[in-house]
Amino acid sequence: MAIHSVYIISKSGGMIFNYDHNFPKVETEKSFTFPVDIKVELRNKKMVVVFGQRDGICIGQTLLSVNGTPVIVDKMETGQDVLEYLNEPANFPLSLRFGRTRMTTNEKMFLGSMFYPLYAISSQISPEPHSSGIQILEAETFKLYCLQTLTGIKFIVISDPKFQGMDVVLRKIYEIYADYVLKNPFYSLEMPIRCELFNENLKLLLEMVEKTGITNV
Amino acid sequence: MTIHNLYIFDRQGTLVYYGEWNRKKPGTMSREEEGKLVYGMLFSLRSFLDKISPLDMNDNSFLYRTTKYKMNYWESPTGVKFLMNTDLNAPNIKELLRTIYQQVFVEYVVKNPVLAIGAYIDSELFIQKLDELIKSSLSYTSKV
């Protein structure tokens, strides 16, 4: 019953709030001999696995460290190029750590804003008249729930796929938003939400839902 | 239950087939234009899912629901993409899409030497077999 993250998207499509609640950490460390049978490539300022999925190291994961020294973009902390280092037989055996990286705030804003057109198109291509946009998006590893309020603000929650009855939780988040954000005299509409009380109450709600389910909401 | 429509895209993203069974809201644009719009949405959705997913994904299918319909997506390992819109209660559409790929697409498109790769599928046999399969599926016939 894990809830992974909460996003709020404003009427104009910008992300105004995000909170990572219970984000699973995926990391694998393994020792390798020369030559490394996993191919990594520089993509989007990360060394990303592009071929050779095995032992929990999946395509799309990032090379995090070499022999315990963190990798920054395509260099090791010592300033040495990672690919050059991996192509040097004398450096072996060595241990590499791979994992899914957390999104940076920039990437989250990008994704948050990307949801807005998806929501709009899904309602436009509907085969039935008067359809809303995406309400539940289900994939193998997670479920995304979206509540669009009458005023156009979208509340998005990402949880694990087994979660049931998220609409109640979304309404409760809306209620907390109305109480602690809209009634805050220092908050201006459409701007990022920085309200201490909102954060606290949201956190309390999510913790309660994870512990006791939605019955008490 | 009903099946509304089906889009098939090839690995380049061109619309190679569009079938319609119970579409109540007519499209406002031409078939090509709509194909591009739908593919654009699919492409963004896939990269969105990849990035936002908390764990690694191995499955090449997903679905979304709105208040009125359910969109089901399945992609073959070769990149042929199937998108089927159904009503909200239709079960196991992923299996149906796999069956369409296995029993209709491979048999009557891939094994048809006259059809050019990437061109719109106008084979009568394919259209007929697809129609038969859809109309015999549980999601189409069941009245619940």
Side-chain angles (χ1 to χ4, degrees):
Chain A
M1 292 282 273
I3 295 176
H4 298 310
S5 25
V6 177
Y7 295 83
I8 300 176
I9 295 169
S10 74
K11 190 165 61 180
S12 45
M15 196 187 74
I16 53 172
F17 179 81
N18 83 83
Y19 170 65
D20 279 344
H21 184 61
N22 192 337
F23 219 77
K25 201 171 174 183
V26 184
E27 277 184 11
T28 334
E29 179 137 21
K30 225 181 117 46
S31 58
F32 288 86
T33 50
F34 189 79
V36 180
D37 48 5
I38 286 176
K39 188 167 159 49
V40 286
E41 226 175 66
L42 184 63
R43 269 189 202 170
N44 205 2
K45 293 190 180 169
K46 284 177 209 155
M47 297 305 288
V48 176
V49 178
V50 292
F51 183 77
Q53 179 164 313
R54 70 176 179 116
D55 303 330
I57 300 166
C58 295
I59 288 172
Q61 289 190 352
T62 308
L63 176 58
L64 300 171
S65 71
V66 177
N67 281 335
T69 29
V71 173
I72 298 147
V73 191
D74 62 340
K75 302 248 185 320
M76 288 161 58
E77 223 170 33
T78 50
Q80 203 168 8
D81 193 274
V82 172
L83 284 180
E84 274 173 27
Y85 192 82
L86 293 183
N87 283 330
E88 186 56 60
N91 296 328
F92 284 81
L94 48 71
S95 105
L96 302 176
R97 197 156 54 88
F98 293 92
R100 280 186 78 87
T101 43
R102 283 190 162 207
M103 283 184 286
T104 61
T105 316
N106 243 339
E107 282 175 301
K108 280 183 196 155
M109 302 216 351
F110 171 76
L111 284 183
S113 315
M114 197 165 142
F115 190 75
Y116 183 84
L118 293 176
Y119 188 92
I121 297 177
S122 65
S123 131
Q124 202 194 335
I125 62 166
S126 163
E128 292 252 18
H130 312 300
S131 171
S132 74
I134 299 174
Q135 286 193 317
I136 304 176
L137 178 59
E138 288 176 43
E140 181 198 11
T141 49
F142 70 96
K143 249 185 186 176
L144 179 150
Y145 296 80
C146 173
L147 167 78
Q148 168 153 285
T149 69
L150 287 174
T151 47
I153 294 165
K154 291 187 188 69
F155 293 89
I156 294 174
V157 169
I158 294 169
S159 75
D160 77 30
K162 289 187 286 291
F163 206 100
Q164 297 287 319
M166 187 60 90
D167 36 339
V168 190
V169 183
L170 278 166
R171 287 191 180 279
K172 187 72 189 171
I173 296 177
Y174 184 25
E175 195 183 316
I176 298 176
Y177 168 82
D179 278 347
Y180 298 103
V181 179
L182 296 183
K183 289 180 189 167
N184 184 336
F186 301 106
Y187 176 70
S188 48
L189 278 175
E190 302 273 304
M191 293 306 277
I193 299 171
R194 284 184 229 282
C195 302
E196 198 73 9
L197 271 175
F198 176 69
N199 285 352
E200 278 169 27
N201 282 284
L202 179 69
K203 216 170 155 181
L204 278 178
L205 171 74
L206 296 184
E207 269 160 19
M208 191 184 79
V209 170
E210 284 196 331
K211 268 197 208 108
T212 60
I214 54 158
T215 41
N216 297 327
V217 177
Chain B
M1 284 190 258
T2 62
I3 289 174
H4 297 302
N5 50 8
L6 169 75
Y7 298 83
I8 304 176
F9 300 95
D10 70 359
R11 55 182 298 174
Q12 267 81 31
T14 38
L15 182 67
V16 290
Y17 185 73
Y18 173 69
E20 200 170 282
W21 288 271
N22 286 304
R23 182 169 176 166
K24 287 172 195 111
K25 181 184 162 198
T28 49
M29 37 194 150
S30 71
R31 196 182 64 202
E32 286 85 38
E33 289 292 306
E34 193 178 71
K36 281 178 194 164
L37 178 69
V38 172
Y39 184 73
M41 185 194 66
L42 272 186
F43 189 83
S44 315
L45 256 177
R46 278 198 314 158
S47 75
F48 179 80
L49 289 173
D50 266 344
K51 287 196 191 109
I52 214 157
S53 168
L55 299 165
D56 293 295
M57 295 209 295
N58 296 313
D59 198 14
N60 45 10
S61 73
F62 57 84
L63 58 94
Y64 71 67
R65 295 158 197 272
T66 72
T67 46
K68 296 282 179 175
Y69 76 103
K70 182 164 89 162
M71 187 286 303
N72 307 268
Y73 172 81
W74 179 76
E75 183 182 336
S76 82
T78 46
V80 186
K81 298 157 183 76
F82 293 81
L83 183 156
M84 183 180 268
N85 291 324
T86 63
D87 72 315
L88 290 167
N89 301 320
N92 254 338
I93 296 295
K94 186 177 150 190
E95 290 312 308
L96 178 63
L97 292 178
R98 285 179 65 116
T99 320
I100 291 176
Y101 177 66
Q102 260 173 20
Q103 294 176 7
V104 184
F105 190 83
V106 170
E107 290 298 323
Y108 303 105
V109 175
V110 179
K111 292 186 183 172
N112 183 345
V114 193
L115 283 176
I117 294 169
Y120 193 81
I121 303 167
D122 46 11
S123 151
E124 288 285 335
L125 188 60
F126 169 76
I127 297 169
Q128 183 204 331
K129 294 285 178 188
L130 179 66
D131 201 55
E132 273 170 25
L133 183 68
I134 298 269
K135 285 190 172 155
S136 65
S137 74
L138 187 67
S139 309
Y140 191 87
T141 50
S142 152
K143 286 279 175 278
V144 184

